Amino acid sequence: MSKKINRKVSPMAQQAVDHYIEQSLLLNAAFPNDKVIAGRQRAQVLFAEQAFPTLRDEDWQYTKLTGFVQNRFESLGKHSLKLDDLHTFLPPYAVTKIVFVDGWFSEELSDDLSVLPNGVSFESTRDVFEVPGATDQLFGREDLINKTPFGVLNSLLMADGYYLQISANTLLETPIFVLYIQSLDNQMATVRNHVVLEENAEMTLVERFVSLSADESFKGCANVVTEMDIAKSARMKQIVVQEQNHSSYYFNNQFIFQDDQSTFNTFYTGLGSLISRHQNHLFMNGEHIENRQNSACFGRGQQTMDSRTNTQHNQVWGKSQQLHKYVLDDSAVGVFNGMIRVDRLAQKTDGQMDNKNLLLSAKAKVDCKPQLEIYADDVKCSHGSATGQIDQDQIFYLQARGILRAKAIEMITQSFLMEPAEDITNGNIRQWIMATLADQLNAKDSL
Amino acid sequence: MLLKVENLQAKIDEKQILKGLNLEVKAGEVHAIMGPNGAGKSTLASVLAGRDDYEVTAGTVDFDGEDLLELAPDERARKGLFLAFQYPVEIPGVSNKLFMQTALNGVRAEQGLPPLDMFDFDEYAKDKIELLDMRADLLERSVNVGFSGGEKKRNDIFQMALLAPKLCILDETDSGLDIDALGLVANGINTLRSPDRGFIVVTHYQRLLNYIKPDHVHVLYNGQIIKSGGFELVHELEEFGYDGIVQKHEQAQ
């Protein structure tokens, strides 16, 4: 959460602020809905006042936005993608496919959602705008969302997204796969999602962020806010794969609200983008809640890989587990920030957070800040963070069995990065993720 | 001659450890190298396996007709040299199966043999797992992670059985083993004895040697072999200790 400080906004940042406010006015004109416009206007006041975070903001001191602020991303581009363009981005297992192009839901490219199983309903956020009264569900948590700088920008430029509801006792077996594809140069995809799992419902959500072109002269920005309500005894599994090209930007704020006995397992892998920041704000608002938040990030070149969690234990018998791993090569920067806060009501909390980092080059670096704030007296909490280089003894051990040095390093690095993915329970998805990680690691030498 | 070490000298961090060591091992022979702490036993094993912490300052090592010191550690292993580690290393996330299948196929490639796929590999590994009485899920587990000291040593001997090397160097494989694990390790070694294979067993104690009855026993002291003999030398050491033999050596000089 950003602290209020007296800001001096640089001329460059001021131009960017003016530009994005102008973009929001264009959106207002294109999609005139009073409530949405009112939401954009509330965000506009905040955004004009706060502008973009700088290195002076405690939460942003390691994630430098000066380069980002020089961009003037636009919101209303019109794509012309065909189904054939998507094949390489689809996973090798059965899914229900939902496609967003440059932030806009594409009905043509998505599977036929009218035949979703009973108990599952999907609406694009833009359609929700058109339903009288329905927009309330988009603004219920506006104050919370607008506490984060990119939440404000999201509210300012909110354009599309989805509202997904799984009704009580519905077990959705086929994973929902959401593909966010950047197809046009210089577009900002502003996505606002809301997922609701009613009592005892279960689903798996796989989200993948890609760029149509790997060409670095082509850049885009994804700015996503997702709210998730996980009701009593409901079970939510989520996989987020971020593989945008290396000149793009990615900001994702997830606000998750768990009720009694629910479980939430999320895995994030950051592989692409020049700057990426993935953040979970997790509120454990019931008893006997369990969750796991894992991440695996691999950065190279000039990439900044920022991933953070804020886990709030608010009731008794909550269990949270986390494993976050980074592999950083070249001049890449990793940033990890994890906070576990245990309310005084949250006795018997079990909170574990672990962060491990492997640096493959002398110029790579990682800034990590695991934090615990505990106000209850009967809890079990731990956090740890360790950063190092590949253990020479491990390399020698493999070499002494006849494995080439380069292969030994590859095996050790791969296994290091894959550990957080081992908790993915769906075998197809786990293997797909591991193959994706292996491809990225093996591609590093070919760049 | 499988291994011929002549006048080997090596140092680490400016400290001279090996000071002109000579050793010859023929295929089919089992040599024990014994000595007090700090004599250079583990240094010898490490230098032969190619650990680059040590700098060889003089001497030659011929391994089956090749200049061993010119080879990278992985090349030495592919050509049939095996080191069982004093402290086998844990590698989280790398399964024993991936590790050993990769290693074995490297050795097979060197021998001009086709690689084994995972089914052939499982078949090949099965009786070796039983020989060392390893856990049934060994291959699926990460290399040495969560293993006791004894299990790690057994895992190294298991790897040795899989790779079927020409020369096996065991660096204090017996240290820290309880009597049951020692029996399994010794049995593994004895099963692997063959006319085409040589062994160098580096140890501080005679315990393991009573099980495997080496053909030759050498006492290493201060970077040199000061006495060589047959198995009876083990009993002499038992009786007089290292001090007795070292004293005799120093008086003779």
Side-chain angles (χ1 to χ4, degrees):
Chain A
M1 309 288 143
S2 70
K3 286 200 184 93
K4 280 260 168 97
I5 50 174
N6 260 337
R7 293 192 168 275
K8 256 200 212 147
V9 180
S10 73
M12 179 63 77
Q14 188 58 52
Q15 283 170 27
V17 167
D18 295 343
H19 168 80
Y20 291 115
I21 287 175
E22 193 187 304
Q23 289 293 306
S24 86
L25 298 176
L26 291 174
L27 284 165
N28 286 348
F31 304 101
N33 172 301
D34 291 347
K35 284 204 167 166
V36 179
I37 290 174
R40 289 201 189 104
Q41 283 169 343
R42 287 191 294 274
Q44 187 184 321
V45 173
L46 290 170
F47 186 60
E49 184 182 302
Q50 298 170 5
F52 288 98
T54 69
L55 298 182
R56 281 169 292 167
D57 292 85
E58 197 187 338
D59 276 351
W60 292 85
Q61 66 191 118
Y62 302 111
T63 306
K64 212 189 272 184
L65 291 178
T66 36
F68 171 78
V69 168
Q70 291 174 22
N71 291 286
R72 301 287 176 268
F73 289 111
E74 293 175 1
S75 298
L76 280 163
K78 200 120 187 80
H79 76 88
S80 57
L81 276 193
K82 305 266 183 309
L83 261 179
D84 284 348
D85 298 325
L86 303 181
H87 288 311
T88 53
F89 303 120
L90 302 180
Y93 48 87
V95 294
T96 302
K97 172 185 68 177
I98 292 169
V99 181
F100 283 81
V101 185
D102 303 311
W104 302 97
F105 171 62
S106 168
E107 199 166 354
E108 319 83 84
L109 300 177
S110 300
D111 285 342
D112 180 1
L113 300 173
S114 64
V115 295
L116 282 170
N118 279 340
V120 181
S121 72
F122 174 93
E123 294 284 352
S124 75
T125 301
R126 192 154 39 129
D127 285 346
V128 175
F129 291 167
E130 309 307 321
V131 181
T135 43
D136 289 347
Q137 69 200 28
L138 291 171
F139 300 108
R141 298 198 178 102
E142 186 185 82
D143 289 348
L144 182 63
I145 290 166
N146 285 350
K147 278 184 185 165
T148 62
F150 281 83
V152 174
L153 188 64
N154 186 285
S155 297
L156 179 73
L157 300 172
M158 189 202 301
D160 209 346
Y162 60 82
Y163 183 83
L164 181 64
Q165 185 165 16
I166 316 294
S167 58
N169 304 312
T170 301
L171 166 60
L172 183 56
E173 282 184 41
T174 308
I176 300 267
F177 175 76
V178 185
L179 181 68
Y180 302 89
I181 182 163
Q182 297 271 6
S183 81
L184 296 169
D185 185 28
N186 202 41
Q187 290 292 305
M188 181 178 284
T190 302
V191 177
R192 176 70 66 98
N193 300 325
H194 194 161
V195 180
V196 176
L197 266 75
E198 295 183 351
E199 186 170 336
N200 196 35
E202 177 170 341
M203 79 165 297
T204 300
L205 177 65
V206 180
E207 297 178 278
R208 186 178 198 186
F209 293 82
V210 297
S211 306
L212 190 61
S213 168
D215 182 350
E216 303 217 348
S217 65
F218 164 104
K219 63 179 128 179
C221 176
N223 181 18
V224 182
V225 168
T226 300
E227 292 171 68
M228 289 187 208
D229 288 284
I230 305 171
K232 186 178 174 190
S233 301
R235 300 166 301 277
M236 172 84 192
K237 295 173 192 171
Q238 184 198 29
I239 315 289
V240 182
V241 183
Q242 189 273 109
E243 292 173 286
Q244 296 187 135
N245 78 11
H246 285 207
S247 50
S248 292
Y249 299 88
Y250 168 89
F251 304 95
N252 195 343
N253 281 283
Q254 306 205 106
F255 298 86
I256 306 109
F257 304 87
Q258 281 190 263
D259 207 338
D260 293 345
Q261 292 145 46
S262 63
T263 63
F264 172 60
N265 289 323
T266 187
F267 171 84
Y268 167 69
T269 181
L271 301 166
S273 298
L274 183 59
I275 294 175
S276 56
R277 178 163 161 128
H278 186 86
Q279 188 159 13
N280 291 335
H281 312 259
L282 177 52
F283 300 86
M284 300 168 67
N285 294 336
E287 300 180 359
H288 290 277
I289 285 170
E290 291 193 16
N291 56 58
R292 176 173 273 288
Q293 303 170 83
N294 283 7
S295 68
C297 295
F298 171 53
R300 57 184 191 257
Q302 305 289 321
Q303 288 181 298
T304 297
M305 295 283 175
D306 184 344
S307 166
R308 41 189 75 212
T309 59
N310 186 327
T311 308
Q312 309 254 337
H313 282 261
N314 293 329
Q315 291 292 337
V316 291
W317 289 109
K319 181 171 182 176
S320 66
Q321 290 171 285
Q322 302 182 52
L323 175 62
H324 304 279
K325 284 191 156 186
Y326 291 68
V327 173
L328 299 161
D329 204 352
D330 305 324
S331 305
V333 176
V335 185
F336 171 72
N337 185 306
M339 158 70 90
I340 299 177
R341 185 185 179 280
V342 182
D343 191 89
R344 79 188 158 75
L345 293 176
Q347 300 294 1
K348 305 290 180 189
T349 281
D350 179 354
Q352 316 291 334
M353 175 166 61
D354 211 356
N355 164 233
K356 290 179 184 165
N357 312 306
L358 187 59
L359 301 181
L360 298 181
S361 92
K363 283 186 184 165
K365 68 166 195 160
V366 61
D367 294 291
C368 26
K369 193 169 162 193
Q371 294 168 275
L372 287 176
E373 258 181 38
I374 301 175
Y375 300 98
D377 53 16
D378 184 12
V379 303
K380 201 167 75 181
C381 280
S382 77
H383 65 27
S385 180
T387 299
Q389 290 165 329
I390 294 190
D391 186 341
Q392 294 300 319
D393 286 343
Q394 290 182 345
I395 297 175
F396 181 69
Y397 192 62
L398 297 186
Q399 272 192 291
R401 298 295 174 258
I403 296 170
L404 300 176
R405 187 179 167 83
K407 179 74 183 168
I409 292 171
E410 182 191 310
M411 286 170 77
I412 294 164
T413 307
Q414 239 175 56
S415 65
F416 176 87
L417 192 60
M418 285 180 183
E419 192 191 351
E422 283 168 13
D423 290 309
I424 298 171
T425 49
N426 179 313
N428 289 331
I429 298 178
R430 187 175 60 245
Q431 279 157 26
W432 176 65
I433 290 291
M434 290 192 170
T436 304
L437 294 177
D439 285 352
Q440 290 283 339
L441 284 170
N442 297 341
K444 77 184 165 71
D445 299 321
S446 63
L447 277 185
Chain B
M1 191 65 61
L2 185 57
L3 184 81
K4 186 168 184 179
V5 180
E6 280 185 301
N7 186 34
L8 185 63
Q9 302 185 25
K11 64 177 185 179
I12 184 168
D13 301 333
E14 298 309 311
K15 188 167 190 256
Q16 196 70 33
I17 311 282
L18 299 182
K19 301 173 180 173
L21 186 142
N22 297 295
L23 180 67
E24 290 187 10
V25 179
K26 293 195 185 80
E29 292 179 345
V30 177
H31 290 248
I33 297 195
M34 304 188 69
N37 290 328
K41 302 190 299 292
S42 283
T43 300
L44 174 63
S46 295
V47 167
L48 292 178
R51 194 186 271 276
D52 63 7
D53 305 348
Y54 297 91
E55 188 191 339
V56 174
T57 52
T60 58
V61 181
D62 180 281
F63 175 55
D64 210 17
E66 293 201 60
D67 181 356
L68 186 76
L69 299 177
E70 285 300 305
L71 301 175
D74 43 273
E75 291 175 298
R76 299 180 193 199
R78 283 168 186 240
K79 289 179 188 294
L81 184 143
F82 185 96
L83 171 68
F85 283 58
Q86 186 176 3
Y87 304 107
V89 179
E90 295 185 14
I91 309 182
V94 175
S95 71
N96 280 295
K97 184 171 188 161
L98 176 66
F99 174 36
M100 274 296 104
Q101 198 185 343
T102 309
L104 180 62
N105 284 335
V107 171
R108 288 175 65 88
E110 181 73 25
Q111 296 165 350
L113 296 170
L116 293 186
D117 68 19
M118 58 194 252
F119 304 106
D120 292 340
F121 176 79
D122 282 353
E123 192 61 34
Y124 177 72
K126 216 175 95 190
D127 52 330
K128 273 105 187 161
I129 291 180
E130 283 162 17
L131 172 69
L132 273 306
D133 194 24
M134 303 299 288
R135 314 166 183 231
D137 64 351
L138 168 77
L139 291 177
E140 274 66 49
R141 295 172 59 107
S142 290
V143 177
N144 292 327
V145 175
F147 285 27
S148 69
E151 281 176 307
K152 289 179 183 175
K153 301 288 179 97
R154 271 153 58 203
N155 195 19
D156 259 31
I157 303 303
F158 164 69
Q159 293 165 19
M160 190 166 92
L162 280 180
L163 299 180
K166 289 184 214 159
L167 177 64
C168 307
I169 303 167
L170 290 87
D171 185 8
E172 306 217 11
T173 296
D174 51 341
S175 66
L177 290 189
D178 65 24
I179 190 73
D180 301 324
L182 189 72
L184 286 165
V185 164
N187 183 39
I189 295 167
N190 285 332
T191 309
L192 287 169
R193 284 176 85 153
S194 103
D196 345 303
R197 184 171 290 138
F199 285 84
I200 298 174
V201 181
V202 172
T203 182
H204 185 80
Y205 304 104
Q206 66 276 6
R207 216 162 52 120
L208 176 65
L209 303 181
N210 290 332
Y211 281 88
I212 60 177
K213 304 267 187 304
D215 309 302
H216 302 274
V217 177
H218 311 276
V219 177
L220 181 62
Y221 173 69
N222 195 22
Q224 290 180 316
I225 286 175
I226 58 168
K227 185 162 188 169
S228 296
F231 187 55
E232 74 285 350
L233 188 51
V234 174
H235 296 302
E236 198 183 322
L237 279 170
E238 212 163 340
E239 205 171 325
F240 302 109
Y242 288 117
D243 288 348
I245 287 180
V246 166
Q247 268 171 21
K248 272 190 208 166
H249 168 71
E250 286 179 340
Q251 280 163 13
Q253 290 220 323

